[in-house]
Structures are given as structure tokens and as C-alpha cells.
Amino acid sequence: MSSMASGTSGPRSCDTFVALPPATVDSRVIFGKNSDRPSDEVQEIVYFPAASYQAGEKLECTYIEIEQAEKTHAVVLSRPSWLWGAEMGANEHGVCIGNEAVWGREEVSDNEALLGMDLLRLGLERADTAENALAVMVDLLEKYGQGGNCMESQMVFTYHNSFLIADRKEAWVLETSGKYWAAEKIEEGTRNISNQFSITTKIDQEHPKMRDYAKSKGWWDGEKEFDFAAIYSYVNTARMTTSTGRYCEGYKLLNKHKGNITSETMMEILRDKESGINMEGGFMTTGSMVSILPQDPNLPCIHFFTGTPDPERSVFKPFIFVPNITQLVKTSSPAFGPDDPVKKKPRFLTKPDRRHELYKQHESAAVETFKAKSKEMLEQIRKLEKEKISMMESILQNGYLDVNQAVNLFSQCVEEEINTYA
């Protein structure tokens, strides 16, 4: 096992947030995530329509093949462009999921199995509520396990996973350690996850042998109150919300805005550099997502994605699920099929250029802004974003969605962003 896998010297990355009424405005659930990954990794925004499959069909995930489901829901994903799964995404039923790397007492497996990012996509494809997604993910975890390199590199980077799963009504935190897991239900207020176990004594669902396993390892005496984070990791749970670190900073930022949280508040939190939530350096925020999940089922869920690094100089672009979505060509990375170095063993001997069109334009604009025009360009892209947020707000206030316009909504905004850089 590599030192990165142990978590002692590994990068600390990603933050996921959810706010539910009464912490939010207008009876909405607000979801957000920053995906912090290697700074040269491209994150793409891709859409897959709902589909049906024949009995016995197989599905090729990042490293392993599993049984395909009879039906899959339409999904929009923000994912590292070299793998099958996703860092974050949503489905047509208003389910959103974000994941985090976590480390604890249990060693992390280097063996190739399902990545946490594969589990995330499978949860979105196969479940119509947050709780059903949790059930799908823990069933697949039990059947196939989790493991394998989580970085497009010959240097091994592995971890356990935690997930924040939300829908229009509630949210669940799922934290895993090998095949063992605990889950906590959130019905109101705010919750965030970062790169540490955070479920303590409020455990609403769990692996049937999770406590026995902890006892067998000598982590728990069977008598003391069962505190998942304290027992399965080295977290001092008494100091979790008062110590330094991104988990605590995220907790404080959510609490600061409690009662008034909107999608724009969530975007502000994701852009916060002082807290470390908008990460810079060798690991940086390579993609961001914010979703509005109205509790009124007659209103559409709206999902904003950047598809580019650093949310401070990126545009949150809206996506709404409607039939016949225009394919997201300019945020989709090139595909290399069976020749992809990820598919060949030994893996990752070479690294192809995976940049999509938006990424390239954003990258060249970032270089230009160091020379001049940075303030002007930032103002232009922020103006574009504000226009789109206002447009989405009027849809939610008026309850009217022009389906023909929504088909091209995300793609059109990408075009407008590219034109700004040009």
C-alpha cells in the first residue's frame, strides 16, 4: 500500500454540502460540491439518456465488469475524463451525489474493484430517490468491493469513500471502510462532508456486521456508545466542528448563512479560497457543481456545472433534464476506445490529451488574464453567470419551463462562455 493510500501524507481533497429547509430559501434543497483532483486532470461534463438492457448484459466500469441493470435513468455527470464513474452528478429524478476520499484504520485495497466514483454513477443510474441510491450503492459494495487506483498515474492513489446523497426531500451521508459502512439521514438544516469520517453516534442504517468487525479488530469494546468516526478512524469527534481544516471551515460557512442559503450562496462557499475549499496547488478544484432541488415536484431541478478548474474564474452553467437533450459536445473529452492507456495493462504508461473544447478555451484565457484584461474578463463571465441564474430563478418563480429552450440550455451557455474567452 502506498503512503498516499494510507492518508498520512496523501492529499486532502473535495468538499460536498447540502442545505435543506429551514436553512434555505423558498423550500428548496441546495446541493454543492468542489471536486479537488490532480491539477492537470481534465473534468468533463457528460449526459447519458435513460436506457433499457437485455437480461444478462454486462457493464464495463473503470476496471471491472458487472451485471447491467434492466433500466438506467438519465444522468448528467462531472467526471475525470479517463474513468467510467463520476465525482458528482445528478439524475432525472432529482437525485444528486458527491463523493470524498477518506482514510481510517482499515487498510485501503489496491486491488481493482469498483471505484467510489463508479459506485456514485451506479447509484444515480439505478435509483429514483436518495435512500434508494444508498441501497443500490451498498449492495454493489458488498457484491464487488471497492478498490483500484483513483488517479491516472503509475503512482498509486487509493482510498475509502464517503458520499453525500440528496433528493428533493432529504439527504443521506454514506461512509465506507472497505465493505463496511454507516449511513446518517438528514431531514433538515445543513450537512457537509470532507476528507474524514463524520458520522458519529447518529447511525440510521449500517452494514449488519459493522459493529462485530470493529469488535474483532479491537477498535470497540462492545460497551461504549458506538461512534463510527471515532472507532473506524482516528478522528477526535468531540473537536470535529471546532478544529482547523476544511470540514470545520465548511461547517462554519454553512452555519453563517443558515436560513438564507440559495444556489448563489453555495457558489460563494465553493469559491472560498481562504477556507481552502476552493483548493489551489498540486491538487486543486478541477470542477464544481451546485443543484437546486425544489420540494415542489412540479418545478424542475436545476443543476449548475463549471466543467473547468477554479470556480472563482469559471461559470456555473445550468442544466435541466428534458427529453432529447442536445449532446454536450464541447464539454466532452475525446474518446480513445480500446487504445486508451487506462484499458491496457500495465495501465497508465502514457497519458493522452483529454482536454475538451471548453477546457482548452478556458485554459488559454487563464494564461491571457495573467497578462492583461483579467478584471474585464472576470466581470464578463460573472455577468453571463448572473444572467443564467436570473433566468433559472424566473422559471422556478413562474413555474413555466420552455422545453425547447431547455434542450440546448447547457450547450448554449458553454458557447456563450467560449465566445467570452475569444
Side-chain angles (χ1 to χ4, degrees), residues 118-292:
D118 293 340
L119 286 167
L120 186 155
R121 177 173 171 180
L122 290 161
L124 291 172
E125 286 191 341
R126 299 182 180 196
D128 57 357
T129 67
E131 189 170 4
N132 287 346
L134 166 69
V136 164
M137 292 159 76
V138 297
D139 284 352
L140 291 165
L141 178 62
E142 182 71 24
K143 190 170 182 182
Y144 298 104
Q146 62 177 321
N149 196 355
C150 301
M151 199 156 69
E152 188 185 12
S153 167
Q154 289 188 286
M155 180 166 66
V156 177
F157 176 43
T158 54
Y159 45 77
H160 304 298
N161 287 268
S162 72
F163 304 88
L164 186 48
I165 311 165
D167 62 22
R168 293 177 186 266
K169 292 180 180 171
E170 64 191 29
W172 287 82
V173 173
L174 166 63
E175 297 187 338
T176 70
S177 178
K179 71 173 184 176
Y180 299 99
W181 57 272
E184 177 189 343
K185 186 178 186 179
I186 298 100
E187 294 178 275
E188 61 174 31
T190 60
R191 185 71 157 84
N192 62 302
I193 59 172
S194 198
N195 297 106
Q196 61 185 62
F197 288 108
S198 62
I199 294 173
T200 57
T201 54
K202 185 185 182 299
I203 300 171
D204 296 299
Q205 288 191 34
E206 64 189 73
H207 187 286
K209 295 185 178 167
M210 182 261 286
R211 295 175 196 239
D212 290 342
Y213 184 71
K215 224 152 92 175
S216 75
K217 299 288 279 188
W219 302 337
W220 181 52
D221 61 9
E223 292 176 21
K224 220 166 48 173
E225 186 177 24
F226 195 91
D227 179 326
F228 181 76
I231 290 163
Y232 268 80
S233 72
Y234 303 97
V235 172
N236 178 348
T237 55
R239 297 186 61 241
M240 259 188 346
T241 56
T242 55
S243 60
T244 57
R246 289 190 345 276
Y247 174 80
C248 180
E249 292 299 322
Y251 174 86
K252 287 193 285 197
L253 284 167
L254 283 173
N255 273 292
K256 179 181 161 188
H257 298 287
K258 209 175 242 186
N260 300 298
I261 295 172
T262 63
S263 57
E264 287 180 276
T265 315
M266 194 63 81
M267 290 170 194
E268 270 177 55
I269 290 172
L270 297 183
R271 285 177 166 139
D272 194 285
K273 287 199 169 163
E274 199 182 326
S275 62
I277 287 164
N278 182 3
M279 190 175 277
E280 299 176 285
F283 258 55
M284 73 176 292
T285 299
T286 55
S288 304
M289 169 184 176
V290 168
S291 290
I292 304 171

Side-chain angles (χ1 to χ4, degrees), residues 61-75:
C61 299
T62 303
Y63 295 126
I64 66 165
E65 200 176 69
I66 68 168
E67 300 284 327
Q68 179 58 284
E70 192 182 319
K71 286 184 176 176
T72 56
H73 306 304
V75 295

